[in-house]
């Protein structure tokens, strides 16, 4: 049977031979045009004058466009307006697109951009979230969730602590940058091939920008060389600009951002400033908590409303708060508009929570794991979240117990103490942290999926659905689901490029829900096709019962007659049975009243736990992960190899966010970390030397998800919080009264914390 097997990624061979086609591999016609974007050289202020005459005269330049040449809508804000495709006179971040150069090659277009002469009236940019907070400068109004009377319970608590933490953002650093190719079509339409997590949204935006109905625009995505949330809304820029130029010049147009432009012009993970005020008893059991979570949204809303919401939904992580008040702020800064990034705000809320847990433990002189365990939800009495969703299934406590023994937590804790007593410079640290991550888009309408299945008369199947492939293995998993349902060899099924003209009105491939919703939709399509084939066979062979038709082992049995897929497809075709089916799925039972901050936004939770041991050098702040053990709950896995790959990759990406990767802006608002020389993503050697990843066994999802599997894309990123907490543990071994440790825990930050040289 296909589901549950560790099939290789459907593009694995293509990936390693270089035959997998990405947007920039598409061979265009010889008269293809290329564009480059001219970005603002200030972060805030106004354009006084813009002289593009030298740009127009540069070698190979065919056209130069500003906002005045755009045909229809000029704002590409995905949810709320605020993202000018090309700026008018106001500038709100460094690198903001101002004009487009169209030339005969990317290189000529990029060279011409440099010839622009622009004068500005620069204003003082706001470059950090605390300044925006003080000025009450927001892209969206503040929003609060509460349960119980946190202020009153805080006042009565035997112990009370306040803490704060700055949390850095993160560049997506997908290996394939933003790219789109637009081909003009009839009636002012266009067909765009784009590296894109959200083809439908691109279709919608391009239609608005061109001033044509959506039916004139087709968007195709075969695969991305990584998306990580960075191609959910940020792919729209290349799509919209290439479409405008393609329609204007009636030629194929390529837009592919240089790495530097990509880093300057497209959004990243939100940095956060977080504060907590917590009351607890002598045992460290939390009685009440108040959080302020302030996200650095950049200059416009983009998806920040939902992202800060998700941070708020995850500052409880796995812990019950008898009373809680959670305030989320969407701070406006003169930086690029921040966007979706694996975890979608969840990691930032969860890190604030886990930092608070550490602080409580240190205050009481207890092991942080003891405090964590003491505060876990249970499903009987301590089972209501701050947003009033009940926790009905919860396997975090048993997973943590399992990990505590399999990773020898207690023994290693003692060994580390001995090591630290015997080493003055090197200090080791250990931490075990859990993850509980809510699965579903918290915006209800996005929780739907669609699929289209064709059985051709030779018995081969072509499958299409609304999800996009970004390396996560969505296509092979959906292929396995359909193969399983049809009892068919998976090799008969070709999953083809995602296209807005095959499955319409799709949701972004995001919120880890790709398989949950598109796999379920594809399954519905397979069931529909199967039903028609059963009816056909029952009639054809005058069978007394449908039970006499069996699909298995890549063949079909109708009573005593056996068909191959070739013979059945041909026979059904000859009898004029429709062999194409659509499938649709919407997640049941979810609702959230944002006004009241009450409801059931999540269909279920994905869970995991990690123990990490690190070593730091207390003189230099250097740090290294020595060992990580993970137990993660993917329900009944559809493809264990893909799932383990997702867990390993997400963990390392999360560890990069919390230890190496640091965004820095110059005082004029220019991003200084604008390439791999200045922005350090993890290398292979940064993965834990000992890395034990285990899928929780015999744990089918209690909720009726597709084949009882669980989403895996984002949740394991937050297992990397164990790295941060382990570093903090090591810092405490170096100095029992260190200054606050902000994220990322770079060598500089670690050293500042040890020496007590706090930045503020
Ligand atoms: N894995 C790879 N290799 N590349 C990616 O870009 N994106 C992550 C995750 N895993 C990503 C990835 C993010 S942000 C999400 S939301 C999910 O994959 C989306 O895919 P899924 O819903 O099919 O799991
Ligand atoms: C998780 C997500 C997303 C989300 C909510 C989540 C996401 C996303 C949106 C969103 C919100 C409002 C819109 C819209 C999209 O919400 O990726 O078009 O109008 O795009 O909990 O990953
Ligand atoms: Mo993932 S951040 O939901 O694209």
């Amino acid at each position: 049977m296909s589901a549950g097997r560790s099939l290789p990624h459907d593009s694995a061979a293509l990936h390693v031979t270089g035959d997998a086609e990405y947007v920039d591999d598409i061979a265009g016609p010889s008269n293809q045009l290329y564009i480059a974007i001219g970005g603002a050289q200030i972060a805030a202020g106004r354009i006084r004058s813009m002289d593009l005459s030298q740009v127009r005269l540069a070698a190979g330049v065919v056209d130069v466009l500003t906002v005045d040449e755009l045909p229809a809508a000029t704002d590409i804000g995905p949810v709320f307006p605020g993202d000018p495709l090309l700026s008018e006179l106001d500038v709100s971040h460094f690198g903001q697109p101002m004009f487009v150069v169209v030339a005969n090659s990317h290189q000529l277009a990029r060279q011409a951009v440099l010839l622009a002469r622009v004068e500005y009236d620069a204003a003082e940019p706001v470059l950090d979230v605390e300044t925006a907070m003080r000025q009450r400068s927001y892209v969206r109004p503040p929003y609060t969730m509460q349960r119980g009377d946190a202020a009153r319970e805080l006042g009565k608590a035997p112990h009370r602590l306040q803490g704060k933490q700055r949390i850095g953002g993160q560049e997506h650093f997908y290996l394939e940058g933003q790219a789109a190719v637009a081909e003009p079509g009839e009636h002012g339409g266009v067909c765009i091939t784009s590296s894109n997590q959200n083809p439908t949204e691109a279709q919608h935006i391009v239609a608005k920008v061109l001033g044509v109905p959506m039916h004139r625009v087709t968007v195709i995505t075969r695969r991305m060389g990584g998306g990580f949330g960075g191609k959910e809304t940020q792919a729209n820029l290349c799509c919209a600009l290439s479409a405008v130029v393609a329609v204007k010049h009636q030629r194929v147009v390529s837009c592919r951002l240089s790495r530097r432009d990509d880093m300057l012009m497209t959004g990243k993970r939100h940095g956060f400033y977080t504060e907590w005020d917590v009351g607890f008893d002598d045992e460290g059991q939390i009685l009440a908590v108040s959080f302020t979570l302030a996200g650095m949204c950049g200059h416009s809303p983009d998806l920040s409303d939902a992202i800060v919401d998700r941070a708020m939904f995850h500052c409880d992580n796995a812990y019950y708060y008898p009373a809680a008040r959670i305030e989320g702020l969407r701070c406006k800064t003169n930086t690029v508009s921040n966007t979706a990034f694996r975890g979608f705000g969840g990691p930032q809320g969860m890190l604030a929570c886990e930092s608070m847990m550490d602080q409580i433990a240190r205050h009481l002189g207890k092991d942080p794991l003891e405090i964590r365990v003491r505060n876990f939800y249970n499903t009987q009495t301590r089972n209501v979240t701050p947003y009033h969703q009940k926790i009905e299934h919860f396997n975090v406590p048993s997973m943590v117990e399992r990990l505590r023994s399999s990773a020898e937590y207690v023994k290693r804790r003692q060994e580390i103490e001995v090591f630290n007593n015997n080493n003055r410079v090197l200090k080791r640290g250990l931490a075990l942290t859990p993850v509980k991550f809510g699965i579903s888009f918290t915006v209800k309408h996005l929780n739907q999926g669609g699929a289209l299945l064709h059985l051709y008369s030779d018995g081969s199947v072509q499958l299409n659905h609304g999800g996009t492939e970004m390396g996560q293995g969505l296509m092979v998993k959906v292929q396995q689901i359909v193969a399983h349902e049809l009892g068919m060899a998976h090799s008969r099924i070709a999953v083809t490029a995602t296209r807005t003209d095959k499955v319409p009105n799709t949701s972004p491939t995001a919120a880890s829900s790709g398989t949950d919703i598109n796999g379920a939709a594809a399954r519905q399509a397979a069931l529909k096709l199967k039903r028609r084939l059963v009816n056909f066979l029952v009639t054809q062979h005058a069978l007394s019962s449908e039970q006499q038709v069996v699909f298995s082992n890549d063949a079909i049995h109708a009573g005593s007659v056996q068909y191959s897929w070739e013979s059945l497809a041909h026979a059904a075709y000859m009898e004029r049975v429709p062999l194409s089916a659509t499938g649709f799925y919407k997640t049941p039972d979810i609702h959230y009243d944002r006004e009241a901050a009450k409801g059931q936004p999540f269909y279920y939770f994905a869970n995991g736990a990690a123990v990490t041991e690190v070593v730091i050098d207390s003189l230099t702040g250097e740090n290294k992960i020595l060992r990580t053990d993970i137990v993660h709950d993917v329900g009944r896995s559809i493809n264990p190899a893909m799932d383990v790959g997702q867990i390993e990759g997400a963990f390392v990406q999360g560890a990069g966010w919390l230890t190496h990767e640091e965004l820095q802006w110059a005082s004029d608002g220019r991003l200084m970390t604008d390439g791999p020389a200045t922005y350090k993503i993890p290398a292979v050697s940064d993965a834990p030397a000992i890395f034990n990843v285990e899928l929780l066994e015999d744990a089918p999802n209690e909720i009726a998800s597709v084949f009882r599997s669980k989403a895996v894309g984002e949740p394991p990123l937050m297992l990397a919080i164990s790295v941060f907490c382990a570093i903090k543990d090591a810092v405490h071994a170096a100095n029992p009264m260190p200054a606050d440790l902000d994220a990322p825990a770079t060598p500089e930050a670690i050293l500042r914390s040890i020496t007590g040289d706090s930045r503020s």
Side-chain angles (χ1 to χ4, degrees):
M1 286 289 96
S2 273
R5 281 174 59 196
S6 283
L7 295 181
H9 195 287
D10 52 294
S11 296
L14 304 180
H15 288 152
V16 296
T17 56
D19 288 326
E21 194 174 74
Y22 295 87
V23 171
D24 202 48
D25 295 325
I26 297 169
S30 57
N31 71 346
Q32 179 170 330
L33 296 173
Y34 301 82
I35 64 185
I37 305 171
Q41 301 299 302
I42 59 166
R46 270 175 86 79
I47 299 169
R48 198 186 314 145
S49 67
M50 185 152 70
D51 174 3
L52 300 176
S53 54
Q54 294 305 307
V55 182
R56 291 179 201 279
L57 292 173
V61 170
V62 174
D63 197 2
V64 180
L65 286 80
T66 63
V67 65
D68 300 329
E69 279 81 43
L70 297 179
T74 60
D75 195 292
I76 60 166
V79 184
F80 306 99
D83 296 303
L85 177 55
L86 295 173
S87 64
E88 311 253 353
L89 294 179
D90 287 328
V91 174
S92 53
H93 73 93
F94 196 100
Q96 182 162 26
M98 297 188 304
F99 62 92
V100 176
V101 179
V102 184
N104 291 318
S105 77
H106 275 128
Q107 199 183 355
L108 290 170
R110 287 172 193 171
Q111 283 167 358
V113 162
L114 303 174
L115 302 175
R117 272 182 290 208
V118 187
E119 293 182 329
Y120 306 92
D121 291 315
E124 184 73 26
V126 175
L127 299 173
D128 68 282
V129 68
E130 287 154 89
T131 305
M133 232 173 119
R134 271 196 302 278
Q135 298 177 358
R136 292 193 163 68
S137 174
Y138 307 128
V139 294
R140 298 285 305 151
Y143 172 60
T144 303
M145 297 173 183
Q146 46 200 350
R147 214 188 122 250
D149 188 342
R152 198 185 64 205
E153 299 304 321
L154 279 170
K156 296 196 316 204
H159 299 271
R160 188 162 173 183
L161 282 174
Q162 284 92 30
K164 64 178 186 338
Q165 185 173 36
R166 300 187 186 96
I167 301 172
Q170 188 177 22
E171 161 63 34
H172 298 88
F173 225 106
Y174 23 60
L175 292 186
E176 177 204 29
Q178 303 283 352
V181 172
E183 188 180 345
E186 293 181 339
H187 302 290
V190 68
C191 179
I192 301 164
T193 307
S194 164
S195 183
N196 200 321
Q197 289 175 246
N198 198 351
T200 289
E201 181 69 9
Q203 177 197 23
H204 184 219
I205 296 273
V206 166
K208 267 188 5 187
V209 166
L210 293 178
V212 299
M214 284 172 81
H215 67 213
R216 293 287 174 218
V217 180
T218 303
V219 179
I220 305 173
T221 299
R222 173 59 190 92
R223 64 170 63 76
M224 285 157 271
F228 307 113
K231 293 171 182 170
E232 206 180 313
T233 61
Q234 307 297 294
N236 292 332
L237 176 66
C238 278
C239 288
L241 291 177
S242 60
V244 166
V245 177
V247 169
K248 179 173 177 193
H249 288 273
Q250 289 296 299
R251 281 158 75 174
V252 175
V253 176
S254 164
C255 176
R256 169 168 59 78
L257 299 188
S258 67
R259 183 60 63 175
R260 182 167 187 269
D261 283 350
D262 199 307
M263 293 181 80
L264 288 175
M265 294 178 181
T266 70
K268 303 158 204 325
R269 185 189 291 286
H270 291 59
F272 266 72
Y273 172 77
T274 62
E275 285 179 349
W276 56 86
D277 186 350
V278 60
F280 49 95
D281 68 16
D282 294 340
E283 302 305 315
Q285 183 155 323
I286 292 171
L287 303 169
V289 64
S290 171
F291 277 102
T292 298
L293 305 173
M296 178 173 175
C297 299
H299 72 101
S300 74
D302 186 77
L303 301 174
S304 294
D305 237 357
I307 288 166
V308 176
D309 278 3
R310 194 169 265 275
M312 299 166 72
F313 283 124
H314 287 84
C315 70
D316 63 335
N317 194 13
Y319 312 110
Y320 175 64
Y321 298 149
R325 180 188 162 277
I326 302 161
E327 182 186 36
L329 302 174
R330 286 110 183 120
C331 294
K332 181 174 185 167
T333 50
N334 293 111
T335 50
V336 68
S337 193
N338 285 327
T339 194
F341 196 139
R342 208 170 193 171
F344 206 75
Q348 296 95 318
M350 206 180 282
L351 178 63
C353 165
E354 294 298 346
S355 292
M356 177 183 80
M357 289 293 163
D358 278 351
Q359 192 190 0
I360 294 170
R362 301 232 148 78
H363 179 82
L364 295 174
K366 293 181 187 288
D367 187 320
L369 182 54
E370 187 188 326
I371 303 302
R372 292 193 162 97
V373 170
R374 191 173 301 283
N375 283 288
F376 280 155
Y377 281 109
N378 64 37
T379 52
Q380 275 82 49
T381 51
R382 298 161 51 84
N383 63 349
V384 192
T385 63
Y387 43 94
H388 302 259
Q389 175 161 357
K390 277 228 170 78
I391 304 292
E392 285 168 5
H393 309 281
F394 193 55
N395 53 22
V396 166
S398 60
M399 291 168 74
V400 165
E401 279 324 303
R402 183 186 170 77
L403 197 58
R404 195 208 296 254
S405 59
S406 69
E408 301 185 300
Y409 181 88
V410 177
K411 176 165 155 251
R412 284 162 68 204
R413 168 69 68 216
Q414 288 160 0
E415 288 168 0
I416 287 167
E417 207 170 309
V418 173
F419 178 93
N420 287 343
N421 287 336
N422 293 330
N423 286 274
R424 221 161 53 82
V425 175
L426 298 183
K427 297 291 178 187
R428 291 194 177 185
L430 185 71
L432 193 165
T433 59
V435 167
K436 164 183 132 287
F437 189 76
I439 301 300
S440 294
F441 290 95
T442 54
V443 181
K444 188 171 169 180
H445 71 269
L446 297 176
N447 295 289
Q448 56 177 307
L452 178 63
L453 190 70
H454 302 319
L455 173 61
Y456 290 103
S457 61
D458 68 351
S460 69
V461 169
Q462 198 180 78
L463 172 59
N464 207 268
H465 58 79
T468 57
E469 178 64 43
M470 56 195 97
Q472 83 276 40
L474 173 62
M475 298 303 172
V476 67
K477 283 169 123 182
V478 178
Q479 180 191 39
Q480 286 176 268
I481 289 166
V482 169
H484 193 94
E485 207 52 75
L486 295 177
M488 175 185 261
H490 69 91
S491 55
R492 284 189 192 277
I493 303 168
V495 189
T496 55
T498 313
R499 301 180 55 118
T500 56
D501 56 358
K502 284 208 174 180
V503 178
N505 309 322
T506 57
S507 294
T509 308
S512 304
S513 65
T515 303
D516 283 23
I517 61 178
N518 299 292
R523 183 168 169 260
Q524 289 305 320
L527 288 171
K528 213 189 260 183
L529 179 70
K530 204 165 147 183
R531 168 116 312 272
R532 292 192 204 134
L533 293 171
V534 168
N535 291 344
F536 162 68
L537 289 168
V538 165
T539 312
Q540 199 75 356
H541 298 285
L543 301 175
S544 54
S545 144
E546 293 176 359
Q547 264 72 54
Q548 289 176 269
V549 181
V550 179
F551 295 71
S552 78
N553 284 323
D554 202 33
I556 305 92
H557 300 262
S560 57
V561 185
Q562 180 174 332
Y563 285 86
S564 64
W565 274 100
E566 285 87 348
S567 58
L568 177 60
H570 181 72
Y573 165 73
M574 294 306 287
E575 284 303 314
R576 300 184 296 176
V577 178
L579 297 180
S580 176
T582 56
F584 182 80
Y585 175 78
K586 56 179 180 182
T587 312
D589 306 329
I590 47 174
H591 54 91
Y592 182 64
D593 177 350
R594 193 169 186 270
E595 208 62 36
K598 278 186 189 175
Q600 183 162 317
F602 303 119
Y603 188 43
Y604 64 89
F605 295 91
N607 304 309
V611 193
T612 293
E613 182 174 348
V614 299
V615 62
I616 65 168
D617 181 322
S618 59
L619 295 181
T620 64
E622 282 168 279
N623 59 88
K624 189 162 181 56
I625 304 173
L626 297 173
R627 171 173 169 183
T628 294
D629 296 69
I630 289 170
V631 180
H632 196 77
D633 168 20
V634 294
R636 185 181 286 149
S637 179
I638 289 168
N639 185 321
M642 286 309 122
D643 288 353
V644 168
Q646 284 292 293
I647 294 166
E648 291 171 345
F651 177 86
V652 172
Q653 190 168 43
W657 168 51
L658 292 173
T659 62
H660 293 141
E661 300 179 41
E662 190 169 33
L663 297 164
Q664 289 196 331
W665 291 267
S667 57
D668 67 352
R670 182 178 61 84
L671 180 69
M672 294 190 291
T673 47
D674 60 1
T678 45
Y679 187 82
K680 190 185 178 318
I681 61 168
V684 176
S685 54
D686 293 311
I690 305 172
F691 199 3
N692 301 316
V693 176
E694 191 190 320
L695 301 179
L696 187 68
E697 278 195 22
D698 299 324
N701 195 349
E702 295 91 348
I703 301 294
S705 57
V706 65
F707 290 170
R708 302 276 169 177
S709 67
K710 281 194 179 185
V712 70
E714 296 167 288
L717 182 131
M718 285 150 276
L719 297 170
I721 292 172
S722 65
V723 179
F724 187 86
C725 292
I727 288 177
K728 206 148 78 181
D729 190 48
V731 164
H732 274 266
N735 177 356
M737 297 286 284
D740 287 349
L741 181 62
D742 289 333
T746 57
E748 299 93 309
I750 290 171
L751 210 53
R752 271 198 304 268
S753 180
I754 292 175
T755 58
D757 170 21
S758 157
R759 256 190 299 188
S760 55

